[in-house]
Amino acid sequence: MKLLIRNALLIYPEREFQEKRDIYIENGIIKEIGDNLHINNIDEVIDGEGKIIVPSMTDMHTHLREPGFEWKEDLLSGSMSAVAGGFTSIACMPNTSPPLDQRSFIEYIYKRTKEINLVNIYPIGTITKGREGKELSEMGDMYLAGAKGFSDDGSCVMNSEILRCALEYSKIFNVPIIEHCEDINLTLEGSINWGKTATLLGLKGMPWTAEASIVARDIFLAQLTQGKLHIAHVSCWQSIEMIRWAKKYGIKVSCEVTPHHLILTEDYVKETNYDANTKVNPPLRTKEDQESLWKALEEDIIDVIVSDHAPHHQDDKLKEYDLAEFGISGLETLVPLVITYGYFHRKLSLPKLLKKISYNPSKILNIPYIPLEKGNIANLTIIDLKKEKIVNPLEFFSKGKNTPFKGWNLKGWPILTIVNGKIVFREGKILK
Ligand SMILES: [Zn+2]
């Protein structure tokens, strides 16, 4: 297959650089990058006008629900959702049933990934056995099987001594401990941000303190152990200020944010009249928090943008607000949300924004990052900046149709995804 893309904007997130060039791909290898390329016997030419090409897009926080909750998602539907969302790699969280807390489960994810052969899936192992927070899991064994990080995501490791040990132990393998920061004693039965809106709506709130106090504790543990700490889905300005402080003092901490925390606030719960698709953990916070997240993104205090893809069956969402499950099906809307709100509305540069969904996550997880360079295997996504589309969850490849962005008009959709040299997604279709 000889594919020539003329005059596209090539993005080099690793150098925060962009340039307009032709790019020629032959049998999955980038053969040439240049101006006015002359190639014979081309199979296909794509006009790159208004399109950008991004290498190795990675979503490092997804929930694929297999094993145990396959009616919500499985590794196949999750893979299809990932490539439709423009991702060449994803990491999957271990809060399955049973949880990914031993070697054989890590091996299972790799085996299925190979069989499905669509997207690179990198499993995250649990920090504690059974995600119970009581005893460290066999991290070394899981690392050898290919676990790229450890997390009890969905739950916080409440025991400080266990988290200290995990940070200490993980240093041997140089992998991150990914923390879901939430003091559960402060959030019990909560379903929305703690404050005026919660009171008005008659819902029990989850205070920012629950997140920020654990962020602070974990940062000090990272300082003590010099382990690698990655803070999942930050949502409030107090957490941001703690992370800013930690980075200033050279503590090994990185963090991520989701598009829904960047774009929505607690007011949206009211506006949508308690739509359970606005119920996420951590909860949507205030305007002030939201502004601090954008600022931190621009200042590189926030390293990564993730979907926190959490597909649920509609039975889990069609409930009273406080009884519904937490989470959003996010893989297929992350890119257009980031382009629409980060690039078009906030005017952040494309390389800067896209670095947070390509280069940075791959460096944190120590997984392959393949830049746009002559001789490299093509592992890239074409995004059409001019393509506008209304979000329709019924078109999602994910089994989870739970999105608060239903009906939103977004601009900048992925139109073609090449994983390890193979075109796997094109104009709304999965290619096997
Ligand atoms: Zn979480």
Side-chain angles (χ1 to χ4, degrees), residues 20 98 274 284 300 310 330-331 336 412:
K20 256 198 169 177
Y274 300 83
L284 302 173
D300 292 329
L331 269 168

Side-chain angles (χ1 to χ4, degrees), residues 61 63 153-155 179-181 232-233 281-282 308:
H61 191 145
H63 299 271
D153 187 45
S155 309
E179 250 284 70
H180 170 119
C181 296
H233 41 54
N281 188 10
D308 191 4

